[in-house]
Amino acid sequence: MKDKKTKEKNIYNPIKFEEKIYYFWRKNNFFSNKNIGKKTFSIILPPPNITGDLHLGHAWDLYFPDLLIRYKKLKGYNAIWYPGTDHAGIATQAKIEKLIYDEKKQNRFEIGKEKFLQEIWNWKNKYEKNIFNQWYKIGVCLNFDKYKFTLDKDMNDLVIETFIKYYKKGLIYKDQKIINWDTKLQTAISDIEVERKDTKSNLYYIRYPFFSKEEKYLIIATTRPETIFGDTAVFVNPNDKRYQKFIGKYLINPLTREKLKIYADNYIDINFGTGVMKATPAHDFNDYDLGKKYNLDFINILNKDGSLNQNCLNYSNLDLYEAREKIVKNLNKNNLLEKIDQNYINNISYSQRSNSIIEPLVSNQWFLKSSILAKNILNFKKDNIYFYPERFLKDYQKAISNMQDWCISRQLWWGHQIPAWYFKDKIKVQKNSPGKNWIQDNDVLDTWFSSSLLPIIFKNEQIISNSENNNYLSDTLFTGRDILFFWVTRMIFQSIEIEDKYPFKNIIIHGLIRDKNGKKMSKSLNNGINPIDIINKWGSDSLRFSLLANSTPGNDINFNEEKINFSWDINNKLFNINNLLLILINQKKISRKNIMDLNISSLDNYILDKFKKLLILIENNLEKYNLTIIFNSIYKFLIEDFSSNYLELLKEVNYEDKIENLVNIYLEILICLHPFIPFITEHIYQSLKKYINIKESILLENYPNLNDINNLEIEFDIIEKILIILKILRKIKSNQNYKKNDEIFIFNKNLKEQEKIKIFEFLGKKYNFKFLDENLKLKFNDIYISNNFGAIFYKFNNNNLKTIDNLKLKARNYFKFEYERANKLLLNKGFLQKAKKELIVTETIKREKYKKLLSLIDI
C-alpha cells in the first residue's frame, strides 16, 4: 500500500490542510444559522454516547448528513444540523464503576453517590471534548451553537415535565412485571442492551414424580435446575398424544415437594426435550405470559445480585452456579436425575455492559404505556413518514403493531431521577418535593426516554415554518437499523403525543460496518477501527468517499482499508488537475462570470453538457439516497470526461477565452463536488483566490443552476469523434518508429467538410494526418478501426507494408470470426437457458459491435 504521508509541495497531502480548513470554517461560523427567513432544512444527529471514542459506524453516521447539509447550504437553504451527546446511563455508569474498582478496589456504594456522580461528570467533561475533537477531525458541518447534552438543565426539565404529563394522563404507571435484570450492575436494562449468544450448556433431564401413585414420573428437560424452586405449574401441548391423559393431574416439585398442576397449551414445543415444560413465571418471559394467562403463582428465587434467596431453602444466599452444582448432585442422589446432555447449544442473553448473564426477574418498575402511544401512531393521519429503503417500513409497522409497555426505570445513579415522591403509603409525582419527610424515588429513567425527546428539545417554530416539510419537527434522519425500534419508533410516538407532528419526514436506514471478512466489528474480536486513525493516514475526504461510495441504504459495508487507496487517488487526481490549472492560468487575473455570460467554444459546450447530465443525476439520486450511483458518476465525470477528455483536448487547441472559460467552469464543478469531498474542494477554491474574485468560502457559493446550461448548442458528435481520433493518434505517436512526417490517413466516408475543419482545428498542429481519398492506392504498416468512428491507416517505414485490401481482409476475417462466434452462441438454446444474464448481454453487445465493424471495413 502506498504511503500517502509526503511533504512535497505539489503532492496531495490532506494532513497538511484539512485541520486548517476546518478551523477556518469554525472560526468564521459558516455552520451556524445564517439567512434566517429563507427556506430551511434540518437534521438531528443520533447522539453518540459520552462513553469514549467514536467508531467507524459513527463516521458513517456523520458523513452522509454532512453531505446533505452542505448540499442544501449551497442550494440556498438555512441548513441546520442539530448535534448532541447522550449521557448513556447504564453504559457510562458501568464504565466508571469498572474504572473506580480497577483504581481503588471500591464499588459505588463504598465511595458514595455524591463522589461517584462527580467522577462521572469529570469523565463526561473529558470525553465530551474528545468527541468534539473527533467531530472536527471528521469535518462535520454541525451547528455547534445548538448542541445539547441529554442531562442539560433544559433537557432535564423537558424529561421531567414529560414524565409528569404522561403520569397524569395515565400513560405511566408502576407495577410488578418481568424485566431484564443485570445482576452485576443490579439494574433493569433495555432489550437493546441485551446480546444473545449461542452457548454450549448442559441440558438436565429431571424426573418429576406424580402426586398420585398411578404413574411414576414425567421427565422434564431444563438448562437451569435452580429455577425448579420457582416452578408453579407444568405444561404439555394439547396435541401431544403422549401426555393427553395426564392433563389436569398433578406432579410433585422435586425440590420443594409442592404440587404442580399439568396444563395444556399450544405454546409448548412438542420437539423440545421431552415435550413437557416446567413453568417458572417469575424468571422466564414466556413462562411469565403463561403465568398471567393461567393465573399461576409467581415465586421469586433470586436476590438482586443473582444469588438464590430465602425461597430456595438450604440453598439460599448461594451463588447461582454453586447452587446449581449442589442441586444436581442432590437430584442425582435421590434418583431424580435421568441424564445430562452436555452438548446442548443454548441461546443465552448477556448484558452488553457487564457481560453477565441476564436474569429475567419480576420487579417493581415504572412503565410507559407504549402500546397506547403506538396506537396513536397507527391512527395518525397527518402526512406520512418515508423509509429508505422502503422495506424498513414493514419492520417499523410490525414494531408499532407489536409494541409492549416499556420499562422506563433503571436502578442507577447517573441519569434523570424519576420525579416520584413517597411518604408512608402515599405517592406523588411532581417536579419538587411535596414537603418534609417525602423521599424521592432513587431510580432514573431509561436513556432512550430522554434521547427520544430530542426532536422536541430541538424544535424551533421559525425553522419549522420555513421548511418545505413544515408539518414535521425536522426533515431527515440518518440512522442504523439496529436502533429502529429502540430509538426511532420512540421518537415518533413521543413527538406525535406531545407535538402532534412526526419528528421527521425521511428516515434513511443504514446497516453495519463489518470488517473486510464480513465479521461484525467488536472489541472482543479486536477488529474495530478508529476512524481518526484512518483520517490521520489518508485524510477525511478519502475515508468519506470510500464509505459513501459503497453505501446502499439498508445494507452493510465490508470495510477494507486497501479500498481507500482508490478514494485517495481520486482526490489526488483533482489535486493534480488543480496544479495543471494553476500552470495554465500563469498568474493571469480571471473574471468571475456566470456560465451563460462566457464566450464558450464547442469544447466547453461538450464538458458543460456532461456536467449538466451529472447535475441531473445527482439531483435525481440524492433524493432517493442512491449514493453509489452518484459517486461512480462523479468518478467517471472527473477522471474521464473532465480530465482525460476535456483537459487533454484543451491542450491541443488555443482560443481567446480558453483560460477564462476553463476556470469558471472548473469553479462550478468544484461547488458541485463540495458536498461529496469538502476539504479538497475548499483547499482548491482557496488556491484560486489570487487569480479570480470569489467568495470567502466555497460554503457561501450557490450550487450550479441547470438553467444556465439548458440552452447551450452542443456540438457533441464532432467532439466525440475528435476524442476517438486523438486517442488513436496518441497510440500511433507512442510507437518508437514514429517520425513527425510519417503518413497517417483518416478514413470515414460520412465525415462532413465542416467536421474535417474542426478536426484539423483541434489536432492539426501536433499531428501530421490527411483524410483518405477513397480511390487512393497506397501501402501502410497497419490500421486502427473504431466501431464509433471508422479507420485510420499509418506508415512508419518500408518494412512489412500492406495494401489497404490486405489490411481490410485481415480485419474483416477477424471481425467475421468474432461476429459468427457470438451469433452462434446466441442462437444456441442451451446457452440461453444455462448462461447468466450478464454473459448473454455481453455476447449480444459483442455481436452488434463486430457486425458494425464489418460494415465499416467495407470501404
Side-chain angles (χ1 to χ4, degrees):
M1 189 182 297
K2 291 182 276 187
D3 182 5
K4 304 304 180 185
K5 286 189 175 181
T6 177
K7 295 183 179 180
E8 283 86 348
K9 183 178 178 182
N10 61 344
I11 298 295
Y12 172 58
N13 184 8
I15 311 305
K16 291 176 67 176
F17 60 78
E18 285 192 347
E19 286 190 18
K20 292 177 183 177
I21 286 174
Y22 195 77
Y23 176 76
F24 164 71
W25 286 333
R26 283 188 57 230
K27 179 184 175 183
N28 291 280
N29 210 24
F30 292 138
F31 302 154
S32 295
N33 283 352
K34 295 183 178 180
N35 307 318
I36 292 293
K38 291 188 177 182
K39 54 187 177 180
T40 58
F41 175 83
S42 61
I43 296 176
I44 294 171
L45 172 71
N49 292 347
I50 206 78
T51 49
D53 291 330
L54 301 180
H55 53 67
L56 206 56
H58 287 118
W60 198 14
D61 262 339
L62 291 163
Y63 279 134
F64 184 42
D66 187 70
L67 187 163
L68 283 179
I69 288 291
R70 291 176 188 272
Y71 176 79
K72 291 292 185 178
K73 280 183 179 293
L74 294 173
K75 282 274 193 175
Y77 286 78
N78 177 16
I80 303 143
W81 190 8
Y82 297 107
T85 53
D86 199 312
H87 67 281
I90 193 167
T92 305
Q93 181 160 317
K95 185 176 282 289
I96 302 306
E97 284 199 61
K98 185 178 185 305
L99 285 174
I100 291 173
Y101 184 80
D102 290 344
E103 291 174 7
K104 304 177 181 179
K105 302 303 177 187
Q106 290 180 309
N107 60 39
R108 61 179 162 124
F109 300 103
E110 290 171 319
I111 70 168
K113 186 173 182 177
E114 185 176 343
K115 288 184 178 179
F116 181 78
L117 289 177
Q118 187 56 55
E119 290 282 350
I120 297 186
W121 279 108
N122 292 341
W123 169 278
K124 175 261 181 188
N125 292 334
K126 175 183 177 181
Y127 279 92
E128 184 177 57
K129 291 178 183 177
N130 187 48
I131 287 173
F132 269 72
N133 287 331
Q134 290 173 89
W135 280 340
Y136 301 159
K137 193 81 174 177
I138 290 168
V140 289
C141 198
L142 288 162
N143 288 66
F144 290 106
D145 55 342
K146 297 188 178 297
Y147 169 78
K148 295 290 181 187
F149 175 56
T150 50
L151 284 180
D152 285 346
K153 184 181 183 305
D154 58 346
M155 190 74 193
N156 185 67
D157 289 344
L158 174 63
V159 170
I160 300 306
E161 288 166 10
T162 301
F163 185 97
I164 295 168
K165 178 181 177 182
Y166 285 169
Y167 180 80
K168 289 180 178 178
K169 292 180 72 172
L171 292 171
I172 282 180
Y173 63 95
K174 196 170 190 182
D175 196 5
Q176 291 269 354
K177 284 190 174 185
I178 194 164
I179 46 89
N180 296 308
W181 184 259
D182 185 318
T183 57
K184 187 173 182 179
L185 298 174
Q186 296 190 34
T187 179
I189 66 171
S190 65
D191 290 339
I192 198 172
E193 290 157 329
V194 174
E195 186 174 357
R196 299 192 71 85
K197 302 177 186 177
D198 285 339
T199 307
K200 188 177 178 182
S201 307
N202 287 341
L203 183 61
Y204 303 91
Y205 288 78
I206 298 169
R207 297 169 179 168
Y208 280 63
F210 276 93
F211 180 73
S212 67
K213 304 301 180 182
E214 298 171 10
E215 303 285 344
K216 288 186 178 181
Y217 51 78
L218 288 181
I219 299 171
I220 301 177
T222 180
T223 58
R224 306 187 63 195
E226 67 279 2
T227 61
I228 294 173
F229 285 112
D231 289 354
T232 57
V234 172
F235 283 84
V236 296
N237 191 298
N239 299 313
D240 193 336
K241 295 179 179 179
R242 295 174 295 175
Y243 305 116
Q244 287 178 345
K245 63 180 179 178
F246 301 132
I247 297 170
K249 294 188 176 183
Y250 290 87
L251 297 177
I252 297 175
N253 186 309
L255 293 180
T256 67
R257 313 305 296 173
E258 296 290 333
K259 289 170 62 177
L260 302 173
K261 186 175 180 180
I262 301 173
Y263 292 86
D265 194 278
N266 286 315
Y267 166 76
I268 309 307
D269 183 358
I270 294 174
N271 298 314
F272 173 75
T274 61
V276 185
M277 191 192 87
K278 70 188 197 68
T280 315
H283 296 285
D284 183 278
F285 284 94
N286 295 316
D287 293 9
Y288 178 85
D289 292 336
L290 289 172
K292 288 290 186 181
K293 183 176 179 180
Y294 293 95
N295 197 28
L296 303 178
D297 290 333
F298 287 74
I299 301 173
N300 177 27
I301 65 164
L302 293 177
N303 295 312
K304 295 297 176 66
D305 64 359
S307 62
L308 299 189
N309 65 16
Q310 71 279 1
N311 291 324
C312 299
L313 305 177
N314 296 332
Y315 301 94
S316 62
N317 296 320
L318 289 180
D319 170 82
L320 189 148
Y321 300 100
E322 181 185 358
R324 181 181 298 173
E325 186 178 345
K326 290 186 175 183
I327 288 168
V328 171
K329 286 182 179 179
N330 186 11
L331 290 170
N332 189 41
K333 180 181 176 181
N334 292 297
N335 200 30
L336 293 172
L337 183 64
E338 178 76 13
K339 65 177 180 176
I340 303 174
D341 179 356
Q342 296 181 329
N343 296 306
Y344 179 69
I345 302 301
N346 194 11
N347 195 241
I348 296 178
S349 298
Y350 289 82
S351 169
Q352 286 185 344
R353 306 307 175 190
S354 67
N355 202 35
S356 61
I357 292 177
I358 290 299
E359 293 293 343
L361 184 70
V362 173
S363 178
N364 195 20
Q365 301 283 346
W366 288 93
F367 294 87
L368 175 65
K369 292 183 179 178
S370 305
S371 51
I372 291 177
L373 296 178
K375 288 179 182 177
N376 293 345
I377 297 177
L378 297 173
N379 296 329
F380 194 66
K381 302 301 181 186
K382 296 182 180 179
D383 300 298
N384 288 309
I385 199 161
Y386 299 92
F387 284 84
Y388 300 88
E390 192 176 349
R391 70 176 185 268
F392 283 100
L393 176 61
K394 292 182 179 179
D395 294 339
Y396 160 73
Q397 290 171 335
K398 183 179 178 181
I400 293 299
S401 300
N402 297 321
M403 183 116 13
Q404 302 296 314
D405 287 1
W406 170 18
C407 176
I408 57 174
S409 49
R410 299 289 180 267
Q411 289 63 56
L412 305 172
W413 288 350
W414 175 245
H416 302 277
Q417 193 168 354
I418 290 174
W421 304 82
Y422 305 98
F423 178 64
K424 295 182 179 179
D425 59 347
K426 296 179 182 178
I427 179 172
K428 288 189 178 182
V429 173
Q430 57 189 61
K431 185 174 183 179
N432 299 314
S433 172
K436 187 179 179 181
N437 297 324
W438 285 84
I439 299 173
Q440 188 173 2
D441 197 312
N442 283 321
D443 290 354
V444 299
L445 287 163
D446 180 12
T447 298
W448 297 103
F449 187 89
S450 53
S451 61
S452 62
L453 291 171
L454 282 174
I456 298 164
I457 197 68
F458 284 130
K459 183 188 71 167
N460 182 305
E461 291 295 346
Q462 188 173 13
I463 290 169
I464 292 171
S465 62
N466 289 330
S467 171
E468 293 173 344
N469 303 315
N470 53 27
N471 290 325
Y472 302 80
L473 297 180
S474 63
D475 294 273
T476 301
L477 178 73
F478 185 77
T479 189
R481 66 167 185 254
D482 53 332
I483 56 173
L484 174 61
F485 173 74
F486 300 99
W487 188 50
V488 177
T489 57
R490 288 167 177 176
M491 277 193 289
I492 293 170
F493 70 56
Q494 295 257 53
S495 297
I496 288 175
E497 175 64 23
I498 297 170
E499 295 292 333
D500 200 34
K501 287 184 177 182
Y502 278 120
F504 24 71
K505 181 176 183 179
N506 301 308
I507 304 174
I508 304 101
I509 302 291
H510 66 76
L512 300 173
I513 296 185
R514 301 181 179 274
D515 68 13
K516 63 182 180 181
N517 299 314
K519 292 182 179 179
K520 183 179 178 180
M521 290 185 178
S522 69
K523 291 180 181 178
S524 60
L525 294 175
N526 197 30
N527 63 348
I529 296 175
N530 188 327
I532 305 306
D533 292 340
I534 300 293
I535 291 169
N536 285 335
K537 184 176 181 181
W538 300 91
S540 180
D541 277 344
S542 296
L543 177 60
R544 180 191 191 102
F545 199 105
S546 182
L547 288 178
L548 295 186
N550 292 288
S551 290
T552 302
N555 292 352
D556 294 348
I557 289 179
N558 288 357
F559 182 80
N560 187 344
E561 188 179 343
E562 293 177 5
K563 291 182 179 179
I564 298 184
N565 193 56
F566 170 78
S567 302
W568 187 95
D569 285 339
I570 294 168
N571 294 323
N572 183 51
K573 184 69 174 180
L574 188 58
F575 185 86
N576 289 333
I577 287 171
N578 191 62
N579 288 337
L580 171 64
L581 189 70
L582 294 177
I583 292 171
L584 292 173
I585 290 174
N586 195 23
Q587 304 297 319
K588 293 177 184 176
K589 292 292 181 181
I590 309 294
S591 299
R592 179 77 159 112
K593 292 183 178 180
N594 292 327
I595 296 296
M596 291 303 293
D597 295 331
L598 296 175
N599 184 23
I600 53 180
S601 70
S602 56
L603 181 56
D604 299 326
N605 279 339
Y606 162 81
I607 196 60
L608 285 171
D609 180 71
K610 296 286 188 181
F611 184 45
K612 173 185 172 182
K613 290 183 170 86
L614 177 66
L615 290 172
I616 293 170
L617 181 139
I618 289 173
E619 186 168 320
N620 290 342
N621 285 281
L622 201 54
E623 291 179 358
K624 300 171 186 174
Y625 312 107
N626 294 327
L627 295 187
T628 301
I629 294 173
I630 293 173
F631 277 87
N632 287 341
S633 300
I634 287 173
Y635 171 79
K636 180 182 180 300
F637 173 81
L638 194 61
I639 302 300
E640 184 177 321
D641 299 329
F642 188 75
S643 180
S644 297
N645 294 345
Y646 176 64
L647 287 183
E648 290 303 319
L649 270 184
L650 205 64
K651 294 176 187 177
E652 309 292 343
V653 65
N654 286 308
Y655 54 94
E656 184 178 350
D657 303 303
K658 171 179 169 178
I659 302 303
E660 181 178 85
N661 291 356
L662 168 61
V663 174
N664 279 283
I665 291 169
Y666 183 57
L667 277 170
E668 295 297 315
I669 292 169
L670 283 178
I671 296 164
C672 165
L673 296 181
H674 176 73
F676 305 94
I677 37 176
F679 282 110
I680 183 65
T681 49
E682 181 72 83
H683 176 71
I684 292 172
Y685 186 86
Q686 295 297 325
S687 74
L688 296 174
K689 277 189 173 179
K690 290 190 228 175
Y691 314 110
I692 189 167
N693 184 24
I694 51 180
K695 297 185 178 181
E696 189 177 1
S697 167
I698 196 170
L699 267 171
L700 303 178
E701 284 281 1
N702 296 317
Y703 196 77
N705 191 339
L706 279 171
N707 293 329
D708 291 345
I709 311 175
N710 275 342
N711 300 317
L712 295 171
E713 295 179 7
I714 309 297
E715 295 174 286
F716 186 77
D717 288 343
I718 185 58
I719 297 298
E720 291 285 5
K721 290 174 183 175
I722 291 170
L723 286 168
I724 293 166
I725 295 170
L726 176 61
K727 185 177 179 181
I728 296 172
L729 291 178
R730 281 179 172 163
K731 284 183 179 179
I732 295 172
K733 190 175 179 180
S734 67
N735 188 298
Q736 60 183 351
N737 295 320
Y738 176 81
K739 296 183 180 65
K740 188 173 182 180
N741 294 325
D742 286 339
E743 296 175 299
I744 300 174
F745 285 86
I746 297 172
F747 177 79
N748 183 323
K749 58 187 176 184
N750 296 319
L751 272 181
K752 301 172 185 175
E753 284 303 313
Q754 190 63 32
E755 289 179 320
K756 292 179 181 179
I757 292 171
K758 277 286 181 186
I759 293 170
F760 269 116
E761 178 186 325
F762 276 93
L763 306 177
K765 292 180 181 178
K766 287 193 176 182
Y767 298 94
N768 179 30
F769 62 85
K770 297 176 182 177
F771 291 97
L772 181 65
D773 187 327
E774 190 172 348
N775 298 316
L776 195 62
K777 298 294 182 183
L778 292 174
K779 291 186 176 181
F780 298 90
N781 291 109
D782 215 334
I783 180 176
Y784 277 100
I785 297 179
S786 166
N787 60 320
N788 294 325
F789 173 68
I792 297 181
F793 302 89
Y794 60 92
K795 177 183 176 183
F796 289 154
N797 51 49
N798 291 322
N799 298 327
N800 302 316
L801 290 179
K802 302 160 189 169
T803 65
I804 292 176
D805 289 338
N806 293 141
L807 294 169
K808 283 164 55 179
L809 181 61
K810 175 186 173 183
R812 186 186 293 114
N813 289 339
Y814 174 69
F815 298 152
K816 184 179 180 183
F817 171 80
E818 287 294 336
Y819 168 78
E820 289 177 349
R821 184 199 60 78
N823 190 52
K824 185 178 179 181
L825 272 179
L826 293 169
L827 293 175
N828 186 322
K829 292 183 180 179
F831 172 77
L832 295 175
Q833 289 173 353
K834 296 177 182 179
K836 291 183 178 180
K837 183 179 178 181
E838 295 81 2
L839 181 58
I840 295 173
V841 170
T842 300
E843 291 299 329
T844 303
I845 293 171
K846 283 183 180 179
R847 181 173 66 179
E848 295 306 310
K849 171 185 174 181
Y850 290 113
K851 182 179 180 181
K852 185 173 182 180
L853 285 170
L854 275 170
S855 67
L856 286 171
I857 201 69
D858 191 24
I859 55 178

